[in-house]
Amino acid sequence: VTLYGESGAGKTSTLRMLAGLMTPDKGRISVDDRVWFDSRKKQNLRPQHRKIGYVFQDYALFPHMTVRQNLEFGAEGSDKKIISGLIEMVALGDLQHRKPQTLSGGQKQRVALARALVRQPDILLLDEPLSALDFIIRSKLQDHILGVHREFGLTTLLISHNLGEIHKLSDRVIVLDKGSVQREGPPEELFLSKRISGKFKFTGEVLKIEKAEVLFIVTVLIQNQVVKVVAQASDIEGLQIGDTVLVASKAFNPVVYKIS
């Protein structure tokens, strides 16, 4: 589930309240029939007792610890055998004895993701974890997030402003404004002017638009693959290099829809 909205809408506050890092003024939070917070009964479960993994935008790694030590610290009280499996899952094997300052942004974020999972949480909270990364690294990390989401059977709450990322990762989007839910539903219903059906749907970034006689060829980077799509003039109206698009099938042919 993605939380979407303008700055100040309450997205990060929602995650912080779920994690126990911020106390709601009033209300109730329950997970699997277990109450985490209830203002009327004055119940407020401590953060360390909530089965949550939290990945921050700025990584929040311990600089004096190696990659493996960061994970071992996060595993306190949990089965440490999971560490080796997580290191392999997010491809950190060659980096496990290095310290954070020697890593790239994408590598640090993989460490942060693994550390969030080491306690085997029920809920994974992702606060714009990929916004500072370039398209290629961001796409690879999106694949890692999808992989761990499915492997561990997690409920995952994501904050993101990147519509391509939202389409790739989300089953449902909740649009917040000033702390209130304005709309919710599948991403294609909320962000496209018309509902898109098709055998396949992929999001990517427009690299090139070329005219070929009466048609156009749109080159799209989808994850690590470059795809060329034949389009009519009406399909590419307003489309520019760098735009995020949805490539979907229509009558057995791929069609490009602008997202952002």
Side-chain angles (χ1 to χ4, degrees), residues 9-10 31 53 70 97 138 143 145 155 176 189 199 213 223 229 232-233 248 251 260:
V31 178
N70 264 277
H97 300 302
R138 190 168 70 236
D143 292 337
I145 289 170
T155 293
L176 294 178
E189 289 185 6
K199 294 289 186 182
E213 298 182 359
Q223 296 187 31
V229 181
Q232 299 181 2
S260 67

Side-chain angles (χ1 to χ4, degrees), residues 162-217:
N162 185 294
L163 296 185
E165 181 170 279
I166 292 170
H167 275 265
K168 181 176 178 179
L169 297 178
S170 306
D171 300 299
R172 189 159 61 99
V173 179
I174 296 173
V175 180
L176 294 178
D177 182 39
K178 297 177 182 176
S180 297
V181 175
Q182 299 299 308
R183 292 182 295 156
E184 60 181 297
E188 66 179 49
E189 289 185 6
L190 295 182
F191 298 119
L192 291 174
S193 58
K194 49 188 174 182
R195 188 165 184 171
I196 306 302
S197 60
K199 294 289 186 182
F200 64 84
K201 302 172 191 175
F202 302 101
T203 56
E205 182 177 359
V206 176
L207 299 180
K208 187 186 295 184
I209 303 172
E210 304 170 276
K211 189 170 184 179
E213 298 182 359
V214 296
L215 296 172
F216 291 83
I217 306 295

